[in-house]
Amino acid sequence: MTDTEDTKLDSPSPPRRVALYVTCLADLMRPSAAQASLELLQHAGCDVTVPTGQTCCGQPSYNSGDYSGAARIAQQVIEGFENFDYVVLPSGSCAGMMIEHYPALFEGEWRERALQFAGHVYELTTFLLEICDYHPPKQEHAKPVAYHDSCAGLRELAVRSQPRRLLERAGIEVQELSQPDVCCGFGGTFCAKMPAISGDMSDRKLKDIESTGCDTLLGGDLGCLFALAGRARRTGNDVHFRHVAEVLIGDDVTPPIAESEER
């Protein structure tokens, strides 16, 4: 073996080029979840870019039946992100939209581009565990937490064990809900169209959380967490809500969702 060949074999692999898709809810209402996601990816050895031209993933249009509008948004997302090695999102819902539904919006060349793009899209905890084999810093004296599996992440992307394994690696125990795979009642526009049913579903979820004895619920989708936190505040429930990325990165400064620093 020549010196040149030996040097080539010993050279470290280049870092993964990752585009972080922030999502609308993180951008507008919970930037700490996006910041935590960015830091986790960097700690995992990724070269992370946050493209400035990103907008909505198109899910609201798609779920409302505006497929042509959703397709226009999808084309914009694909064009802005397809040249990265990976696209990572702190949301199973938005990731599911890109992976499962973008290809269905198109035919021909754009369908092929959407399929190729979808193959590089990952929900955050799946990417950290399965692609990076990431080990978060151990957190001493961390209290047990409950965890909510969002419908889209669970059913479209099989996101269940990944966040739990990362939390376990961080030394954080998860106390399981009796019905962890039952909807929280948010469901996008469902909560606005059928508020009574949505509220009842949220109340049931809150009771399930209380039964664990934990005072904090984690999740990977801000829509679910916002809905539950809002319901909890309106009904006098004292459970706290955080995105799993915030806890994995050790963010103990940002107040829980729907709470002020003075609470």
Side-chain angles (χ1 to χ4, degrees):
M1 180 181 293
T2 66
D3 291 341
T4 302
E5 289 173 332
D6 186 54
T7 302
K8 185 181 294 185
L9 289 174
D10 292 339
S11 297
S13 301
R16 301 176 179 91
R17 295 176 56 252
V18 173
L20 174 62
Y21 191 95
V22 171
T23 79
C24 295
L25 290 179
D27 180 36
L28 297 174
M29 301 179 68
R30 192 67 175 180
S32 57
Q35 181 63 34
S37 301
L38 174 65
E39 293 179 14
L40 285 169
L41 291 168
Q42 290 175 331
H43 290 178
C46 300
D47 179 8
V48 188
T49 299
V50 183
T52 57
Q54 59 182 289
T55 60
C56 175
C57 69
Q59 187 176 176
S61 296
Y62 183 82
N63 290 343
S64 299
D66 179 13
Y67 300 132
S68 61
R72 289 194 296 272
I73 296 172
Q75 287 177 319
Q76 179 179 344
V77 173
I78 293 169
E79 287 178 331
F81 285 79
E82 63 186 343
N83 291 325
F84 290 91
D85 297 334
Y86 300 95
V87 179
V88 178
L89 303 86
S91 165
S93 179
C94 297
M97 177 66 194
M98 294 181 182
I99 295 169
E100 294 293 317
H101 302 297
Y102 273 16
L105 290 169
F106 304 107
E107 295 180 356
E109 178 186 349
W110 268 105
R111 176 174 170 78
E112 293 304 314
R113 288 179 70 174
L115 285 168
Q116 186 172 3
F117 170 75
H120 298 280
V121 176
Y122 285 85
E123 181 271 338
L124 176 67
T125 63
T126 300
F127 183 78
L128 289 172
L129 184 73
E130 298 181 2
I131 302 301
C132 300
D133 191 25
Y134 178 61
H135 287 255
K138 285 284 187 178
Q139 299 185 26
E140 301 295 334
H141 311 299
K143 295 192 297 183
V145 297
Y147 198 91
H148 169 66
D149 299 299
S150 70
C151 292
L154 178 64
R155 291 166 175 80
E156 293 183 342
L157 305 178
V159 179
R160 184 196 294 269
S161 63
Q162 298 91 329
R164 290 166 171 80
R165 289 179 63 187
L166 289 171
L167 289 166
E168 180 183 8
R169 289 180 176 184
I172 301 172
E173 179 185 355
V174 175
Q175 294 285 350
E176 294 293 348
L177 304 176
S178 63
Q179 295 182 306
D181 54 353
V182 172
C183 179
C184 67
F186 173 54
T189 57
F190 169 79
C191 65
K193 292 178 178 178
M194 299 184 179
I197 297 175
S198 173
D200 181 68
M201 294 171 71
S202 294
D203 288 342
R204 291 169 185 263
K205 181 65 69 171
L206 291 172
K207 289 180 181 178
D208 199 354
I209 299 165
E210 289 181 325
S211 72
T212 67
C214 299
D215 64 3
T216 299
L217 178 83
L218 307 184
D221 268 284
L222 286 173
C224 302
L225 295 170
F226 286 146
L228 287 170
R231 186 69 176 178
R233 299 294 81 80
R234 288 191 294 273
T235 58
N237 189 295
D238 290 329
V239 174
H240 308 297
F241 301 85
R242 292 186 181 276
H243 193 282
V244 63
E246 298 171 340
V247 173
L248 287 173
I249 204 64
D251 179 2
D252 57 1
V253 176
T254 305
I257 293 169
E259 298 182 29
S260 66
E261 294 183 8
E262 292 77 20
R263 176 179 162 81

